[in-house]
Each structure stands twice: as C-alpha cells, then as structure tokens.
Amino acid sequence: RYMQQIVDGLTREREGRRVPVILFTKGGGRWLADMAATGCDALGVDWTTDLADARSAVQDRVALQGNLDPSVLYAPPEQIRAQVARVLASFGRGHGHVFNLGHGIHPDVPPEHALAMVEAVHEFGESFPGLLDANVLHGGCPLVYTVSVHRQESGSRRWLEREQASTVDQVRVNR
C-alpha cells in the first residue's frame, strides 16, 4: 500500500523522456508480486530471495535487479566468480535482468574484488542468449546501471559507485 502511494507520487516523465522506477525493499521477497503491480519498471531483489522465485512471482511484468550478496565481495576472486555464475544461473535465460548487488556495497570492499565481479559478469554473460552490452541499451533501456571504480582525489582510498551506462565500464544485462 505504501509503495503504491510512493510510485503514484513520482514524476514519470521529464523533458519528453520516461523516468523509470525501481522499487527495492530489503527482505521484500514475499511482496514482489504486489510490488510489481504498482506500475514500477523494475524491482531490486536482495540476496535473500532466489531470482528464479522472484521471476516466477512477477511473471515478467517488471525487470529484476540484483542480487549478489554484498558480503561475497570479501571472498577471494574465484569464489566471487562462482557466486556471479550462480546469480546469473538463478535468473536463467531471457530478458529483464540487471545484474547488481542485492544491497549496497560495503565501503571497505577491496576494489579489485569489485572488479572481479564486473569481469565475471562480462565473461559469464556471454553464455546467456539475448544478453546485450549496456552501451547498446543506453537510451533504449533506462534501467541499465553500471559499476565503476573511482579513485578519491584526496587519497588512495577507492570506492564504488553506480552510474549511467554511458559514462563508464559496462555491466552486461539480460534484456
């Protein structure tokens, strides 16, 4: 009910362009069908919900974004790669998946581990028919996000940030 009120109150068009709405509720797996009925374009899915179950609940009415457990990024790169493959396999083949973490990234994650995740998405994404490069989708699919590693001006600490696909390295997404 509250999500519906929020979606209803959002600006859905600006300067002649459609503004996408992505809803995310941590631990909201059991409400995904109701959330999909709000008129949103995509649902963020945290790591506690299997993407196959989420996909079944929403019946392709909306795209799904997620859902790698952010703590996986503390693991060695080979384990990160295995978990990326697991997430992609749990969604399966088809359209409507934006690969992402299942919640925010922890500030002390080694940037090299985040990069291992991005590289694994690129590599394993080749196995999924219909998987398009984010640059191809930009403009046509406003639900595309990418992960980039930036160096902080004042020191050596690096952090991750989500940006539009036209600006940095792309993460492949199912469409």
Side-chain angles (χ1 to χ4, degrees):
R1 172 175 100 172
Y2 297 112
M3 287 293 202
Q4 184 67 62
Q5 291 172 345
I6 292 168
V7 170
D8 290 344
L10 295 173
T11 300
R12 299 301 304 262
E13 187 175 321
R14 182 176 174 117
E15 299 174 7
R17 296 187 73 188
R18 192 165 175 280
V19 177
V21 173
I22 303 170
L23 292 181
F24 175 78
T25 299
K26 177 134 178 6
R30 62 185 138 164
W31 301 291
L32 290 175
D34 292 335
M35 290 169 57
T38 64
C40 67
D41 299 289
L43 294 173
V45 181
D46 74 13
W47 71 94
T48 65
T49 300
D50 183 77
L51 283 179
D53 294 338
R55 195 171 181 192
S56 176
V58 303
Q59 297 293 305
D60 290 330
R61 290 179 287 166
V62 296
L64 296 174
Q65 178 175 296
N67 73 336
L68 183 68
D69 181 346
S71 295
V72 166
L73 296 181
Y74 290 116
E78 281 307 310
Q79 289 180 17
I80 294 168
R81 288 172 41 77
Q83 290 302 309
V84 165
R86 183 195 57 77
V87 169
L88 289 170
S90 73
F91 183 86
R93 301 185 190 292
H95 68 282
H97 181 216
V98 179
F99 188 93
N100 201 349
L101 295 174
H103 202 270
I105 190 166
H106 303 289
D108 58 342
V109 164
E112 297 76 22
H113 289 203
L115 182 59
M117 175 192 71
V118 171
E119 290 173 347
V121 171
H122 280 273
E123 178 185 343
F124 296 130
E126 298 293 329
S127 302
F128 291 84
L131 201 61
L132 299 175
D133 194 305
N135 275 341
V136 173
L137 296 176
H138 189 258
C141 180
L143 299 176
V144 176
Y145 290 90
T146 187
V147 176
S148 63
V149 178
H150 294 271
R151 186 173 298 276
Q152 195 172 15
E153 294 290 328
S154 61
S156 61
R157 180 176 170 179
R158 294 185 282 179
W159 71 98
L160 294 161
E161 165 181 305
R162 206 169 12 172
E163 295 186 9
Q164 289 186 342
S166 63
T167 59
V168 288
D169 244 316
Q170 307 84 26
V171 173
R172 294 180 182 262
V173 296
N174 281 321
R175 172 126 154 91

